[in-house]
Amino acid sequence: MASNSILVIGGGFAGLTAALEAAEIGHEVFIVEKTPFLGGRVMQLNKYFPKLCPPSCGLEIQYQRIKNNPNVKFFTQAEVTKVEGSVGNYDVSVRIKPRYAGASSPDLSDLCASLTGETCNEFEFGLATRKPVYMDAPFAFPQRYVVDKANLTEADKNLVHKCDFLDLTEEEKNITLNVGSIVIATGWKPYDVTKLSNLGAGNVKNCITNMQMERLASPYGPTDGKILRPSDGRAPQKVAFVQCAGSRDENHLHYCSYICCMASLKQAQYVREQCPDAEVTIYYIDLRTPGRYDNFAKKILADEKIFAVKGKVAAVEQDKAGDDVWVTVEDAVSCAKSVERFDLVVLATGMQPSLAGAALPIDVPVDAEGFIVGGEEKGIFAAGCAKQPLDVMKSAQSATGAAMKAIQTVRGR
Amino acid sequence: MSKTTKIEPNLQFVKELQEVGGVDLKKCYQCATCSVACPMSPADNPYPRKEMVWAQWGLKDKLVNDIDIWLCHNCGTCSELCPRGAKPGDLLAALRNMTYRKLVPPSIIGEWMSSPKHLPILAGIPAVIFALIWMIRAAIVGTFFPVTEEGKIVYGNLFPGDFTIDPLFGLVAICVAICFGLGIKNMIDGFKANVPQTFVIGYKKPSLKDAIIDTIKFDILQHSRFKNCVDSPADEERVKGHQILFYGFVACFIVTSIVAMAHWGGKVVHLLEPVGHTPMPLWHPVKILANVGAILLVTGLTLLTRRRLNADTQKSRSNYYDWYLLGVIWAVTLTGIGSEVFRLAGVAPLAFFTYYLHLVSIFMLIAYLPWSKLGHLVYRTTALIYARYIGRLPSGEKLIEDDKILVI
């Protein structure tokens, strides 16, 4: 049966934008999100381009629009397992994992605090642990707890059983959605630092990734927004940013990840705002500051304690005696190779499409890197970083474009 | 107003470099990973990033007088980490190949040595010379495969040292020595004009003697700095192979020198004569050393050839200069062993023919030495001594008075 509904896979900034654009025209839209909350990578940022807003700023408006629009239906902890049919008439099987937590529960933070289970907090990129009943962020959407059943201890289970709002007997559900078009907005993941063998492979204590830096700077992150080095909680006085950590590299990601230079400039500003004496050095191949971002770069680089050095860092090592980090680099302008000591080193790791090594059960062509490169004739449209590395603004633009194409595909069916 | 420098690119030179092994040099985007990855690269003006940009710009003058190409021992770490697959390691090898080709006249030999299409000429010259000697001698002794009355094969009866082998190779050796002398002079003149002196505070300048001793003791005899270039089992195999091959050559060189000195010296001091009398019995210490040398050569060659065959061509490509040298040394070694084995077995035709091939391959190894990759024996030694002398050492290392390498 032909359908004029639209499926959006991924509930990040691109997915939400595409869904709302189509829903507000009047189409029924389903969002299928893998994690327990919407908002995607933007939720994990401290501030995002172009205006350096906190994520709550843009996302809360989107969440409001979803809440107020009956055309949008979303499923969290859900994954597409099968797609059958053709353009205009797809039957999509979706598996929804149990959340074990009902809607509109009261504040359960006392219960959460009393639980004994602790597990690595993926939302904080391992910088903190979390309880097995949790919400990612204070403004997480949906405002519903999620129970991580596998990590509940026996004592925890007893406590959870006593709580009327949690139900451990809930079971996995499988549903089928009939849609006419599909928007894939599966986004990106940070490149795996353990593959960067010459940059410490994630084993150097005070060498973190740029996404970890966002969490450190975030007011609701593991340090309440104070930039402190992980090993000893000390405020760093000398910070290095290592650009192209995995990007523009035939041995890793073959392409430029577009936003890392801007992200490092932005994070240099975080450091300088918090620590008036701190020195920041950004090591780069080329500082890529597209379009109007160049003005931002000029402003940041005018700071006399922020240095930009042309030269790619090719060795990051832990100090033998302490927690400091040694960085080896050749300044390609002065032609001097040096070994510098830093309190904290931030790797500007690139964006890898989420679909790299984890293909969807949809017949859609991807390139060697995992970016979607076609499928439009089938009524399947990629949006955001599933298609190419982008910033939030361009991601939203591409989502609007994808929504428009999806609408054109299903219109009149 | 800032002073502008006009770059005059030598595009022909860029093309030539690409031909002799620097195919991917234009892929470089100057990130400087290579200079950091290199364990041998000095702190100021490290290589090979600067060589990459010079090569892209066709700055021939800077490149042909660049001492740094000899500091590189081609471990390939730079090429492995290179984000663009530009293979800086191969470029430095290409620059060394360019030196073999152009440093000393006559440049026609350099030309012949640069491509397999000229191999027939290179092999043909000694093949004709030794075939002529063979024919003339055969006419004199009455047979192509002379054996003694006891039925023994004595190569000296067909190719007598006194008036065929020794004068010929003596002449070749003198020519090679002259060419090398010229090569060393050209290199040092180039270095003087182009390599900046390194200024290091609190550092006593080594004397030329210090630099020579350091180079011979550490770089040549112990391969110490070469061993710093190891970061994979394949690299280890390479250093081991090179060192074993080197000692194999040393053994064979000592044997040849003893034989030559005893033979010619014996004409003056008759007591010496029996020491160098060939063929030697197998228990003769000099013969034992020769056979040990042969075993070392085969072992070293096997390790080095295996590494080249297994190398990832995405990261490093072996070129004609590499294969020519390996091939010729294989030929010298196998024909040498074959000559001994067939002589002992008493198979005269096979023995003499193998010995003929041995002479041809030795000629190909020695006569073209200044234009072959084996020329590094002289050129690299010269460059390393000069580099030690001016204080151009791997970053973090310095030469101190008691000839020890101190790593700080």
Side-chain angles (χ1 to χ4, degrees):
Chain A
M1 192 182 76
S3 165
N4 67 357
S5 300
I6 294 165
L7 170 73
V8 175
I9 306 173
F13 211 99
L16 297 178
T17 306
L20 284 164
E21 298 283 19
E24 286 172 3
I25 296 286
H27 292 273
E28 183 186 38
V29 181
F30 304 103
I31 301 174
V32 172
E33 166 60 40
K34 200 163 153 182
T35 71
F37 301 97
L38 299 183
R41 295 286 169 206
V42 174
M43 283 292 277
Q44 291 172 297
L45 302 177
N46 174 39
K47 292 175 182 176
Y48 70 98
F49 284 113
K51 292 183 180 169
L52 297 187
C53 311
S56 55
C57 172
L59 284 172
E60 281 189 332
I61 298 167
Q62 306 287 64
Y63 298 156
Q64 277 302 324
R65 286 163 80 190
I66 290 175
K67 270 196 223 170
N68 296 335
N69 194 326
N71 282 334
V72 184
K73 299 174 179 68
F74 67 87
F75 307 98
T76 54
Q77 295 182 290
E79 281 183 70
V80 172
T81 54
K82 196 166 71 181
V83 175
E84 281 176 329
S86 58
V87 54
N89 183 17
Y90 282 113
D91 284 319
V92 181
S93 305
V94 177
R95 182 176 57 220
I96 306 167
K97 286 186 198 149
R99 194 180 187 97
Y100 308 113
S104 50
S105 77
D107 185 352
L108 297 179
S109 45
D110 287 344
L111 170 76
C112 296
S114 65
L115 299 177
T116 53
E118 288 280 349
T119 180
C120 173
N121 191 336
E122 299 293 339
F123 185 79
E124 305 292 0
F125 298 102
L127 290 170
T129 58
R130 64 158 169 75
K131 298 290 182 182
V133 177
Y134 67 98
M135 270 201 269
D136 276 347
F139 62 96
F141 184 79
Q143 273 285 311
R144 256 171 95 175
Y145 286 91
V146 57
V147 181
D148 173 8
K149 198 175 170 183
N151 285 306
L152 286 172
T153 62
E154 286 306 312
D156 292 347
K157 279 183 189 158
N158 289 333
L159 288 172
V160 168
H161 274 305
K162 285 178 202 153
C163 178
D164 293 340
F165 302 96
L166 304 176
D167 174 14
L168 291 179
T169 61
E170 196 183 326
E171 286 190 358
E172 186 178 282
K173 271 180 255 170
N174 285 290
I175 58 168
T176 307
L177 303 170
N178 184 244
V179 297
S181 178
I182 299 172
V183 174
I184 301 177
T186 40
W188 62 280
K189 53 190 173 188
Y191 187 64
D192 181 5
V193 281
T194 61
K195 290 181 183 161
L196 301 169
S197 53
N198 59 326
L199 302 180
N203 298 321
V204 176
K205 278 189 225 163
N206 290 316
C207 177
I208 60 172
T209 68
N210 47 4
M211 283 304 277
Q212 287 178 317
M213 184 62 158
E214 289 296 325
R215 296 313 302 146
L216 289 179
S218 168
Y220 56 91
T223 52
D224 300 326
K226 291 190 197 74
I227 297 170
L228 306 172
R229 39 182 227 172
S231 75
D232 54 8
R234 194 161 61 79
Q237 291 304 303
K238 237 188 133 193
V239 181
F241 287 88
V242 176
Q243 296 310 112
C244 295
S247 300
R248 299 180 74 191
D249 191 331
E250 287 189 359
N251 306 307
H252 302 284
L253 305 174
H254 290 212
Y255 50 87
C256 168
S257 295
Y258 185 78
I259 199 63
C260 333
C261 284
M262 296 311 300
S264 291
L265 288 164
K266 171 185 76 173
Q267 294 178 350
Q269 190 182 38
Y270 297 167
V271 174
R272 293 288 296 126
E273 278 169 0
Q274 288 197 14
C275 325
D277 298 322
E279 274 183 11
V280 175
T281 311
I282 301 173
Y283 294 104
Y284 64 91
I285 303 175
D286 306 289
L287 264 187
R288 291 189 163 177
T289 55
R292 286 194 294 175
Y293 286 143
D294 202 40
N295 296 331
F296 179 79
K298 278 189 189 128
K299 193 184 101 194
I300 298 297
L301 293 173
D303 183 330
E304 58 185 19
K305 288 196 171 174
I306 296 179
F307 308 98
V309 175
K310 178 170 167 54
K312 185 176 169 173
V313 171
V316 171
E317 284 152 318
Q318 172 91 44
D319 184 49
K320 291 207 169 56
D323 291 344
D324 291 352
V325 189
W326 291 93
V327 160
T328 318
V329 67
E330 185 204 354
D331 179 337
V333 176
S334 71
C335 295
K337 172 162 124 178
S338 60
V339 188
E340 306 273 344
R341 188 187 197 121
F342 288 96
D343 296 327
L344 183 68
V345 171
V346 183
L347 301 181
T349 47
M351 285 187 198
Q352 188 169 34
S354 304
L355 298 184
L360 284 173
I362 301 176
D363 182 24
V364 62
V366 292
D367 66 11
E369 305 283 348
F371 290 112
I372 294 172
V373 288
E376 305 212 343
E377 71 290 349
K378 295 178 191 160
I380 299 169
F381 307 98
C385 295
K387 203 171 161 188
Q388 68 183 101
L390 294 168
D391 62 353
V392 179
M393 182 177 72
K394 284 188 186 281
S395 204
Q397 285 172 350
S398 98
T400 305
M404 175 69 100
K405 287 177 182 168
I407 292 164
Q408 287 167 343
T409 306
V410 299
R411 201 172 171 94
R413 285 188 199 265
Chain B
M1 241 176 72
S2 66
K3 211 175 131 190
T4 51
T5 316
K6 193 177 170 206
I7 291 169
E8 283 167 10
N10 184 331
L11 300 179
Q12 186 54 35
F13 184 72
V14 179
K15 275 192 199 130
E16 284 177 28
L17 261 183
Q18 289 176 313
E19 277 166 23
V20 291
V23 199
D24 295 308
L25 69 92
K26 292 209 170 170
K27 289 184 183 165
C28 170
Y29 62 18
Q30 292 287 300
C31 74
T33 298
C34 47
S35 309
V36 174
C38 178
M40 312 288 270
S41 183
D44 58 75
N45 291 301
Y47 67 88
R49 183 198 54 79
K50 68 176 189 306
E51 281 73 13
M52 293 304 287
V53 73
W54 290 348
Q56 289 181 329
W57 288 352
L59 301 182
K60 185 180 175 182
D61 293 345
K62 283 192 181 283
L63 287 168
V64 294
N65 296 315
D66 183 21
I67 195 167
D68 290 357
I69 63 170
W70 299 105
L71 306 185
C72 160
H73 289 47
N74 207 0
C75 64
T77 306
C78 55
S79 298
E80 260 157 51
L81 285 175
C82 177
R84 296 279 291 166
K87 306 192 188 73
D90 281 9
L91 173 81
L92 293 188
L95 284 165
R96 290 189 292 268
N97 293 343
M98 203 68 131
T99 310
Y100 304 136
R101 189 166 162 178
K102 305 226 159 141
L103 188 66
V104 287
S107 59
I108 188 72
I109 302 183
E111 187 72 35
W112 289 344
M113 290 290 287
S114 68
S115 159
K117 68 178 180 219
H118 304 296
L119 197 57
I121 305 177
L122 296 173
I125 294 171
V128 167
I129 293 174
F130 290 110
L132 276 175
I133 294 175
W134 195 351
M135 279 190 271
I136 294 167
R137 288 289 303 160
I140 296 170
V141 298
T143 167
F144 276 96
F145 313 113
V147 288
T148 61
E149 281 164 15
E150 302 92 60
K152 284 202 171 143
I153 298 163
V154 178
Y155 294 126
N157 292 346
L158 185 65
F159 296 101
D162 282 5
F163 52 94
T164 60
I165 307 295
D166 289 10
L168 180 68
F169 277 109
L171 195 66
V172 165
I174 291 168
C175 291
V176 166
I178 292 170
C179 288
F180 272 137
L182 202 62
I184 293 172
K185 188 187 168 295
N186 288 348
M187 277 182 98
I188 291 179
D189 288 349
F191 294 159
K192 274 188 184 152
N194 285 277
V195 181
Q197 300 275 318
T198 308
F199 180 70
V200 185
I201 294 170
Y203 174 70
K204 187 170 169 271
K205 191 174 158 57
S207 68
L208 189 58
K209 194 182 119 202
D210 291 337
I212 293 173
I213 289 173
D214 179 87
T215 303
I216 292 175
K217 194 167 161 188
F218 294 107
D219 291 295
I220 299 179
L221 294 180
Q222 298 182 22
H223 282 45
S224 340
R225 290 192 181 87
F226 198 176
K227 282 175 187 156
N228 288 344
C229 281
V230 169
D231 73 346
S232 73
D235 291 344
E236 219 164 286
E237 194 161 277
R238 196 173 71 105
V239 179
K240 217 188 280 169
H242 187 274
Q243 201 169 14
I244 291 171
L245 192 65
F246 169 73
Y247 279 109
F249 265 113
V250 169
C252 294
F253 181 72
I254 292 172
V255 169
T256 312
S257 306
I258 290 176
V259 172
M261 274 181 357
H263 180 79
W264 291 99
K267 297 196 187 294
V268 185
V269 187
H270 292 289
L271 220 60
L272 279 173
E273 207 175 3
V275 181
H277 191 73
T278 54
M280 290 170 181
L282 287 173
W283 52 261
H284 196 298
V286 176
K287 190 73 201 172
I288 292 172
L289 183 62
N291 283 331
V292 168
I295 293 168
L296 291 175
L297 289 179
V298 171
T299 315
L301 280 168
T302 307
L303 289 173
L304 293 177
T305 310
R306 191 168 65 192
R307 190 197 71 91
R308 285 209 177 269
L309 290 175
N310 293 341
D312 179 2
T313 51
Q314 291 293 307
K315 296 299 178 190
S316 157
R317 275 194 215 117
S318 297
N319 54 56
Y320 177 62
Y321 285 84
D322 302 319
W323 292 122
Y324 176 87
L325 184 59
L326 273 177
V328 168
I329 302 176
W330 266 117
V332 167
T333 308
L334 294 180
T335 53
I337 295 170
S339 301
E340 185 181 352
V341 171
F342 296 136
R343 173 173 63 78
L344 293 174
V347 195
L350 204 52
F352 281 109
F353 186 67
T354 310
Y355 185 69
Y356 164 75
L357 290 181
H358 188 54
L359 291 173
V360 170
S361 55
I362 288 188
F363 187 94
M364 287 175 75
L365 182 70
I366 311 241
Y368 312 135
L369 197 58
W371 302 271
S372 82
K373 192 186 167 191
L374 193 56
H376 79 276
L377 159 89
V378 170
Y379 305 140
R380 187 188 292 278
T381 307
T382 307
L384 286 180
I385 292 171
Y386 192 86
R388 306 300 173 240
Y389 183 58
I390 60 167
R392 192 153 178 75
L393 287 163
S395 64
E397 206 186 276
K398 64 180 183 182
L399 214 65
I400 57 168
E401 282 177 292
D402 57 355
D403 304 331
K404 276 187 190 142
I405 300 167
L406 181 73
V407 179
I408 44 169

